Amino acid sequence: AVSFKSREDHRKQLELEEARKAGLAPAEVDEDGNEINPHIPQYMSSAPWYLNAEKPSLKHQRKWKSDPNYTKAWYDRGARLFQANKYRKGACENCGAMTHNKKECMDRPRNVGAKYTNMNIAPDEKVESFELDYDGKRDRWNGYDTSTYTRVIQDYEAREEARKKFLKEQQLKKLEEKDGEQDGENVGSEEDEEDGLKIDEAKVDESAQMDFAKVEKRVRTTGGGSTGTVRNLRIREDTAKYLLNLDVNSAYYDPKTRSMREDPLPDADPNDKFYVGDNQNRLSGQALEFKQLNVHAWEAFDKGQDFHMQAAPSQAELLYKSFKIKKEKLKSESKDKIMEKYGNAASDEPIPRELLLGQSEKEIEYDRTGRIIKGQDVALPKSKYEEDVLINNHTTVWGSWWKDHQWGYKCCKQTIKNSYCTGLAGIEAAEASADLMRENMARKEAAEEEPVRQEEKKLATWGTDIPQDLVLDQKLLEESLKKEAKRKKEEMDERKRKYNVKWNDEVTAEDMEAYRMTRVRHDDPMKDFLN
């Protein structure tokens, strides 16, 4: 679909297409989930306006009106269907097959045909008919059996074996002639011939690959001028980069530029890998230095330096070198200042004994009470942080108590920082609160384990509560059962129903019990066996 795009959208579209062609962005996907080659020209990938294509696709380039009657199959050569034991009416008089007549028979003409001998009846051939399309009729390889190519391979192998055998015989013959002759004049020439015959056959085969980097010049081409083409891009013994990892989700290979940016085997041992992706070339050697030079040029231009990397590359490189020299100089000066102030622990100078062992030759004498008589007391190092500062009536500092992965005050066992100290009363209150919480939790667990037994209410047959003094009369119950059976019988046969129907709305407990005993329960699985 053609739609208007602003200049910014058009620029972004061009950048995305360039990134896809370079392999930096994933390729575009069509409706079926297949990737579209980014190198396909736009006049081929864009669908006509009258197709109303909403998503990118290449269906308009395919033959979508294909005849389902066409097939790509071929005849089953030499297939047989049925082997008869005697001659059948309408079969070939010569061989006895039903698939052709005597005129079309391809077998040897017999003196006495199978029609008269009933012997050696030929099997029926498999007759097929195909309706091929335009390409199928002109396909010269249609029906070709690839297994027949093994004969060609066998011929080449036999020829190679004969050549090796002949070379070996020639070498043995030359060596025998050398041993038999004692003439010194012929020794040098025979040695040269022998050396020529002793060339390794594998090296002879590799001689065709030794000029793989040779550049051939073509002059006066159709486009004009001369062009240089590389004969072979790589040694054919090396494995192609797209065959290192056959997983479809591995590193993407761009067939147009023959580039694979990422590492196809990221989990393999680095010592065993000879190819780690094309990005390795961008992150090593002079490529990395050139990248750093570009970054320095951009940063310098942003800070007001008037030079450009592409316009004046020599000036940019000279300024970058001077920048690195100044940077190293500043680095060394700051390092010297730090070492002068704090010393260098990695130097060869001996460390003072006082610092190494924490001891000195100074002698201090104490009396029985621990007071200093002679010498000076050792001054303890002081921290820059405040120590032993007690706040909010606390007698200990924060962090003097630890419980349940929480720090607190040891004097009142509180875990809230900067809280007011409650002393022993706070500790007792906290323990009592914890005990009460444990009791409540235990009581709740016990209540959940023992469910409350609810007293089941006895209901009467008609759904109301049963009175305590309810007593059913057996005689009245039998009469009610007879009445209920009679009523159901009348409902089944309406012809016996009288014209004047007397209705009585007084229902006794026996009537309800009779109705309950005789009513049909449709959810009862044994209801079919009651009658």
Side-chain angles (χ1 to χ4, degrees):
V2 180
S3 61
F4 175 79
K5 292 182 181 179
S6 63
R7 180 178 297 178
E8 186 67 19
D9 296 340
H10 186 66
R11 185 183 61 80
K12 290 181 180 179
Q13 181 69 20
L14 291 179
E15 290 179 355
L16 181 59
E17 291 177 359
E18 291 298 329
R20 284 173 177 166
K21 290 179 181 179
L24 302 176
E28 200 171 13
V29 181
D30 61 0
E31 298 175 354
D32 301 332
N34 301 322
E35 292 184 352
I36 299 177
N37 192 338
H39 299 282
I40 295 178
Q42 187 178 6
Y43 72 90
M44 293 177 62
S45 60
S46 59
W49 60 270
Y50 50 80
L51 291 181
N52 296 326
E54 298 179 356
K55 295 183 178 180
S57 176
L58 294 176
K59 286 186 177 180
H60 59 279
Q61 292 289 348
R62 302 187 183 96
K63 185 180 179 183
W64 53 278
K65 288 185 179 180
S66 59
D67 194 344
N69 297 327
Y70 292 150
T71 180
K72 293 184 179 180
W74 198 248
Y75 302 102
D76 192 0
R77 298 178 185 271
R80 307 296 184 189
L81 296 179
F82 178 70
Q83 175 77 44
N85 296 326
K86 61 181 181 178
Y87 181 78
R88 294 161 292 177
K89 186 178 180 181
C92 176
E93 297 180 0
N94 184 43
C95 64
M98 289 290 293
T99 52
H100 59 270
N101 53 26
K102 183 178 180 181
K103 188 177 181 180
E104 298 173 351
C105 185
M106 301 296 294
D107 286 3
R108 174 184 58 82
R110 305 182 186 181
N111 294 329
V112 181
K115 178 179 179 181
Y116 306 102
T117 59
N118 272 336
M119 295 173 63
N120 299 328
I121 304 298
D124 299 341
E125 297 94 350
K126 185 177 180 180
V127 180
E128 296 177 288
S129 60
F130 300 112
E131 187 176 357
L132 301 175
D133 55 358
Y134 182 86
D135 294 331
K137 292 176 183 178
R138 292 158 180 80
D139 187 6
R140 61 194 293 260
W141 295 104
N142 198 350
Y144 175 72
D145 188 7
T146 56
S147 61
T148 57
Y149 192 72
T150 55
R151 302 175 186 173
V152 181
I153 297 175
Q154 291 174 0
D155 293 343
Y156 275 96
E157 289 178 351
R159 190 181 304 172
E160 186 69 17
E161 191 68 27
R163 187 182 69 84
K164 291 180 180 179
K165 186 176 180 181
F166 175 74
L167 288 175
K168 192 172 182 180
E169 291 177 356
Q170 290 291 328
Q171 289 180 5
L172 293 174
K173 186 177 179 181
K174 291 292 182 182
L175 291 174
E176 290 175 358
E177 291 179 359
K178 178 188 174 183
D179 294 339
E181 294 182 2
Q182 299 297 331
D183 191 359
E185 296 178 356
N186 298 332
V187 171
S189 61
E190 288 177 359
E191 286 180 355
D192 296 339
E193 293 178 1
E194 179 187 354
D195 295 336
L197 291 171
K198 284 185 178 181
I199 297 176
D200 191 3
E201 298 171 7
K203 292 183 179 179
V204 172
D205 296 337
E206 291 177 357
S207 62
Q209 300 179 358
M210 292 176 64
D211 57 346
F212 68 94
K214 180 181 177 182
V215 178
E216 297 179 352
K217 295 291 183 179
R218 292 187 299 168
V219 186
R220 295 180 183 177
T221 58
T222 56
S226 62
T227 59
T229 58
V230 180
R231 182 175 182 181
N232 292 320
L233 297 178
R234 61 178 177 83
I235 301 177
R236 298 302 171 184
E237 294 175 356
D238 297 342
T239 306
K241 60 180 74 173
Y242 53 83
L243 296 179
L244 295 175
N245 191 351
L246 300 179
D247 188 6
V248 295
N249 296 324
S250 63
Y252 175 72
Y253 175 73
D254 186 11
K256 182 72 175 181
T257 59
R258 297 182 181 179
S259 61
M260 184 180 287
R261 313 290 182 185
E262 301 177 2
D263 187 2
L265 300 171
D267 300 331
D269 187 6
N271 299 325
D272 299 339
K273 292 192 294 186
F274 66 92
Y275 179 75
V276 291
D278 295 339
N279 284 338
Q280 183 66 21
N281 299 330
R282 300 183 177 184
L283 303 176
S284 61
Q286 295 182 351
L288 187 59
E289 296 178 0
F290 184 73
K291 188 176 181 181
Q292 293 174 354
L293 178 59
N294 277 327
V295 172
H296 173 259
W298 297 335
E299 292 177 352
F301 184 78
D302 291 340
K303 292 179 181 179
Q305 295 287 341
D306 189 12
F307 70 93
H308 196 271
M309 178 62 196
Q310 279 72 30
S314 302
Q315 180 187 5
E317 188 174 0
L318 185 62
L319 289 175
Y320 181 58
K321 287 182 179 179
S322 63
F323 167 74
K324 287 198 296 184
I325 294 172
K326 291 179 181 179
K327 186 177 179 181
E328 290 293 333
K329 188 176 180 181
L330 289 173
K331 226 169 164 188
S332 61
E333 289 179 359
S334 61
K335 183 178 179 182
D336 294 340
K337 288 180 181 179
I338 293 172
M339 290 174 61
E340 183 180 354
K341 186 175 182 180
Y342 298 102
N344 186 7
S347 62
D348 297 333
E349 299 177 0
I351 301 175
R353 188 180 181 85
E354 294 83 1
L355 297 177
L356 184 61
L357 302 175
Q359 298 177 358
S360 64
E361 299 296 333
K362 296 180 180 179
E363 183 180 355
I364 303 174
E365 186 177 350
Y366 299 89
D367 60 359
R368 291 180 180 273
T369 58
R371 291 177 297 184
I372 297 175
I373 300 174
K374 183 180 178 182
Q376 189 177 2
D377 192 5
V378 179
L380 296 175
K382 292 184 178 181
S383 173
K384 66 178 181 178
Y385 302 102
E386 295 180 350
E387 296 182 359
D388 297 335
V389 178
L390 306 177
I391 59 173
N392 296 337
N393 203 26
H394 286 287
T395 57
T396 55
V397 295
W398 168 262
S400 58
W401 188 62
W402 168 265
K403 185 178 181 182
D404 297 336
H405 304 281
Q406 287 183 332
W407 292 104
Y409 297 98
K410 187 177 181 181
C411 55
C412 57
K413 296 185 180 179
Q414 292 194 57
T415 57
I416 301 174
K417 195 174 182 180
N418 297 330
S419 62
Y420 193 81
C421 182
T422 55
L424 296 175
I427 296 174
E428 293 174 358
E431 291 177 354
S433 176
D435 295 340
L436 182 60
M437 186 179 293
R438 282 194 290 269
E439 291 176 2
N440 291 337
M441 292 177 64
R443 192 182 301 110
K444 186 177 180 181
E445 291 177 358
E448 291 177 354
E449 292 176 358
E450 296 180 3
V452 179
R453 296 181 180 178
Q454 296 181 355
E455 189 173 331
E456 298 180 357
K457 293 184 178 181
K458 295 184 179 180
L459 300 177
T461 54
W462 52 89
T464 59
D465 295 343
I466 299 177
Q468 297 295 334
D469 54 348
L470 178 63
V471 178
L472 297 175
D473 191 353
Q474 294 297 327
K475 292 183 179 180
L476 294 176
L477 181 60
E478 291 177 359
E479 292 178 0
S480 299
L481 288 171
K482 291 178 181 178
K483 261 200 291 184
E484 184 67 20
K486 185 178 179 182
R487 185 183 66 80
K488 287 188 175 181
K489 190 174 181 182
E490 289 178 356
E491 287 180 356
M492 295 176 61
D493 192 0
E494 292 186 355
R495 291 178 298 177
K496 294 183 180 181
R497 186 163 60 90
K498 297 178 180 180
Y499 182 76
N500 296 324
V501 179
K502 295 180 181 180
W503 185 259
N504 186 11
D505 57 352
E506 294 180 0
V507 180
T508 61
E510 288 79 4
D511 293 341
M512 292 300 300
E513 186 67 18
Y515 169 74
R516 184 194 65 80
M517 294 172 64
T518 57
R519 73 186 179 89
V520 178
R521 294 176 177 84
H522 296 282
D523 56 346
D524 188 3
M526 301 296 291
K527 65 182 178 61
D528 296 334
F529 301 94
L530 294 177
N531 298 326

